[in-house]
Amino acid sequence: MPAFHETLFPLDIALGAAGGPERATEIVTTLTGREERNTRLAHSRRRWDAGYGVTSLAQLSSVVAFFEERRGRLHGFRWRDRLDHASCAPGATVTPLDQPLGAGTGAQAQFALAKTYGGAHAPYRRPIAKPVAGSVRVAVNGVERMAGSHFTLDASSGTLTFLPGHLPAAGASVTAGFLFDVPVRFDTDFLEVNLTAFEAGAIPRIPILEIRP
């Protein structure tokens, strides 16, 4: 079974990539001109082209080595989305009140990290499976809890577990703030390298596709 490698794609290259979220919407137009719209996916799927970020031979060599170690499309890895990699607004500081995770029951120990988009009409709740270790801050009823003392985090799945004696009381709001990566894989088994000059290189296309771990 393909493995997921808990390693980050070269950050300097990822920051120069182009891409974003993709939806799969089916549209049927009736004879009267009315539309019926339906989505086949509960969650958006993000894709990028990292080729825009390669500007030197050193970076090119780094991508080729990373590609080979992942065996092309076989193994997944972490990707940092420069537009959307935090629980807070761009430029803001992560706080333990950023995102609601749910309400305590007095017996529930585990909560899954998530980020909510929108709110007025149809808010979208996105599961966060790859938080950045050490970045997660948690609060219960607005009071911050400490990692290791009150809770633990599985940074490979995004699962937050409260320790015995510190489970959120019934009705208590659980919130969190965090930085996160996106689980992805290469969407090609072939990298076409173009050496345009002795000291500079370019890879015209490096497709990256989000996966569901």
Side-chain angles (χ1 to χ4, degrees):
M1 182 177 179
F4 186 90
H5 296 174
E6 294 289 344
T7 186
L8 187 64
F9 185 87
L11 191 57
D12 59 331
I13 301 172
L15 293 179
E22 178 183 46
R23 289 282 179 174
T25 304
E26 296 176 334
I27 301 177
V28 177
T29 304
T30 67
L31 292 177
T32 62
R34 296 183 60 184
E35 288 186 349
E36 295 293 337
R37 295 182 296 276
N38 182 58
T39 180
R40 294 187 287 109
L41 300 176
H43 300 288
S44 58
R45 196 176 194 186
R46 286 158 173 77
R47 61 174 69 242
W48 296 269
D49 186 347
Y52 294 99
V54 178
T55 59
S56 70
L57 280 176
Q59 289 179 322
L60 189 151
S61 178
S62 175
V63 169
V64 171
F66 194 91
F67 177 86
E68 291 284 36
E69 190 174 5
R70 306 288 88 71
R71 308 299 194 271
R73 294 183 294 177
L74 184 60
H75 300 304
F77 52 92
R78 286 176 175 254
W79 170 271
R80 185 70 50 82
D81 183 354
R82 67 173 180 174
L83 175 66
D84 188 5
H85 60 269
S87 58
C88 54
T93 301
V94 169
T95 78
L97 306 178
D98 287 346
Q99 299 292 327
L101 302 186
T105 65
Q108 182 179 350
Q110 292 190 332
F111 291 80
L113 294 183
K115 181 176 180 178
T116 301
Y117 298 76
H121 302 286
Y124 166 58
R125 184 179 174 88
R126 177 188 180 186
I128 301 299
K130 299 296 178 182
V132 176
S135 74
V136 179
R137 301 178 64 184
V138 176
V140 176
N141 274 348
V143 180
E144 187 165 8
R145 298 295 190 255
M146 297 296 108
S149 297
H150 303 109
F151 70 91
T152 60
L153 175 76
D154 183 349
S156 67
S157 68
T159 301
L160 178 74
T161 303
F162 285 93
L163 298 175
H166 300 287
L167 274 60
S173 64
V174 180
T175 58
F178 42 81
L179 302 177
F180 64 93
D181 298 319
V182 183
V184 300
R185 64 167 170 81
F186 287 105
D187 198 24
T188 183
D189 279 323
F190 171 59
L191 287 183
E192 183 181 357
V193 179
N194 176 23
L195 292 176
T196 57
F198 182 73
E199 290 296 335
I203 302 176
R205 187 167 178 270
I206 311 173
I208 305 291
L209 181 66
E210 182 177 9
I211 59 177
R212 293 293 169 194

